[in-house]
């Protein structure tokens, strides 16, 4: 995915969400602590300089217009700011924002 599109942007909270995903893999025995940490470090390096704080008002407007969490709406607000697509596996987000949120499989 990164080889096809190197212009990635993410809200600052992506780090915590990403660590939570890695934690799930660790708990299921799919990654060791060392592997999870290496993956986290690689992701941080890839997004160095591309982390942003989305507009709070816009995030809350998106929350009001959907049933999505504020966390998810941060990604949508940021995508709007940069005129890019949110690539996700979150079907709720895709359904709420079909013009901007696309499934990973389509990308």
């Amino acid at each position: 995915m990164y080889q096809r599109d190197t212009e990635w942007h993410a809200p600052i909270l992506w780090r915590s969400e990403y660590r939570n995903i890695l934690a799930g893999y660790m708990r299921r025995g799919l990654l060791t602590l060392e592997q999870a940490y290496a993956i986290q470090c690689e992701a941080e390096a890839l997004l160095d300089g591309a982390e942003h704080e989305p507009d709070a008002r816009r995030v809350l407007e998106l929350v009001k217009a959907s049933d999505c969490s504020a966390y998810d709406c941060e990604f949508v607000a940021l995508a709007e700011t940069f005129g890019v697509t949110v690539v996700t596996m979150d079907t709720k987000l895709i359904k709420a924002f079909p013009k901007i949120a696309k499934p990973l499989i389509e990308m």
Side-chain angles (χ1 to χ4, degrees):
M1 181 75 183
Y2 187 77
Q3 290 79 13
R4 288 192 332 192
D5 183 2
T6 58
E7 185 181 349
W8 287 31
H9 300 277
I12 294 169
L13 71 85
W14 80 268
R15 290 174 183 242
S16 295
E17 290 201 348
Y18 199 69
R19 278 191 292 267
N20 196 44
I21 291 167
L22 294 173
Y25 283 113
M26 287 172 44
R27 287 190 181 108
R28 290 190 296 279
L30 300 172
L31 289 176
T32 65
L33 170 63
E34 292 76 19
Q35 290 170 321
Y37 181 67
I39 291 168
Q40 178 73 35
C41 290
E42 182 179 354
E44 288 175 4
L46 288 172
L47 284 169
D48 185 38
E51 298 171 285
H52 312 277
E53 188 66 47
D55 179 71
R57 180 175 182 86
R58 184 61 185 144
V59 171
L60 293 173
E61 288 170 350
L62 293 166
V63 168
K64 184 177 179 187
S66 72
D67 192 30
C68 295
S69 70
Y71 300 116
D72 289 342
C73 289
E74 286 201 22
F75 287 91
V76 175
L78 199 60
E80 289 178 343
T81 298
F82 286 98
V84 297
T85 301
V86 174
V87 179
T88 182
M89 304 239 341
D90 187 326
T91 55
K92 187 176 180 181
L93 192 64
I94 294 166
K95 186 175 179 182
F97 303 103
K99 291 181 181 177
I100 201 160
K102 303 294 180 192
L104 177 63
I105 297 165
E106 286 184 13
M107 306 313 284

